Amino acid sequence: MMRSLYSGVAGLKTHQTKMDVIGNNIANVNTIGFKSSSVLFRDVLYQTTSTATGATASTGGTNASQIGLGTQVSSIQTSVTDNGAAQSTNNPYDLMLNGEDFFIVSRGGVNNFTKVGNFSVDGAGCLVTSNGYQVMGWQVDPENPSEIKKDTVSALYPESEANKVSSPEQTTDAYMTGNIDLTDPDLTSVDGVAISMSIYDALGYSYTVKFKLTQDENQPDKSLYNLEIMSVKDANNVEILGADDAATDDIEEGGYTATIAGKNSIQIKFDPDNGSFEYVGEADMSTALLEITPNSADKGDVFTSIVNGEPVDGITVDFSNLTRYESDGQSTAKMVRGTTDSMGCGRSMGALSDVSIDTSGKIFGVYTNGETKLLGQIAVARFTNPMALESIGDSMYTTTQNSGDFDGIGTSVDDGGGSMSQGVLEMSNVDLSAEFTEMITTQRGFQANSRIITTSDTMLEELVNLKR
């Protein structure tokens, strides 16, 4: 009789625990990154009133007789690996992990882990969580700024003072493209075909270089053309160089000299039979060096830059993309800054205007001068048994003996097939319909266990009343 009373009490306690968990799940239905929990029960030790016996030649075997002593909580499991729905925020620092990985966050040198990616930057430009934990990741390799050095994780500073500015670069390459039509009347005029190109010096100031393309009158098959430098103007349209004497081999003004292949002009040769480009300047040459150099020491050598530790003078111009075909008497030749794959274009100084984070967690700074610079990569942690992580509040987890350790380095989210989404947050993975169903069964279970106690009490009352 007494056993049923204690079984009922045990049932009430376990169902109360389950209701507590359900209540916490429902309370956090709109908490970003919240992971729902579930309760599992198990029966308690049984009291054996008679043991099992084996069969003999004259009697059959009997089963054991056991009376259970109620129930208790077997485990409370958190579904940390089940992703919630995505909510768009359009905040560049809001991130969602698709997969079983965790963000690594740190405070006071202690690493914790979270699924919540509502990040921002603090006054020092450090990427932090809403409660001040630093987001950890890998830094850019100082020897190769386009690569990440995957070492021990450290705090990321995408908007540090050093990253807020993009340094200027001198234009080091250019190419001439388009078509020259030998019937174009402008090729034989005094002004020729006007061609211009914008360039940058090592300080980031912009200039416009103007050329004149004319046909060589001494070549009867019209396969030879002259490209002559006419002027160089700064951003205010003021000439720093101008052609003061057509007879000279270079042009000088304002203390600077401009040459192409060492002269004021260069000849471009085409195959007279098929119109394809042959060479520029001298045979077997497809490029020529455009140089703007100071004439005295008091003038800055702003058109010389340092690339990979070596000085680079002038702009290498590639002419191999030119053709000489019929095109209705109109020449389309033009000069383009940079190489055909947009390298060596040069740029002015730029300010950080936007931050982009790709699916692998790499952070890129977008600058007003058009540069996109790698600023770091957000690392993630992956555990053998993520359900064994211990929740410490604030949507944070820490490792336990059963979860596996964090190695201090982490991994890239795409190494395990996961990804990172920018501008969205992971919502709670609580399923309200399932929680309300569990609430109903828990309520009924609690009621049934309370009936065990009241019924047992009634039976005891009847027993006591037998003496009357």
Side-chain angles (χ1 to χ4, degrees), residues 6 179 236 262 339-340 342 362 389 425 439 464:
Y6 290 114
N179 183 67
N236 297 318
T339 61
T340 53
S342 300
K362 289 182 178 178
L389 292 171
L425 288 175
M439 186 187 297
V464 170

Side-chain angles (χ1 to χ4, degrees), residues 288-302:
L289 188 65
L290 171 65
E291 291 184 284
I292 303 174
T293 56
N295 298 328
S296 59
D298 62 335
K299 297 294 181 181
D301 196 2
V302 294

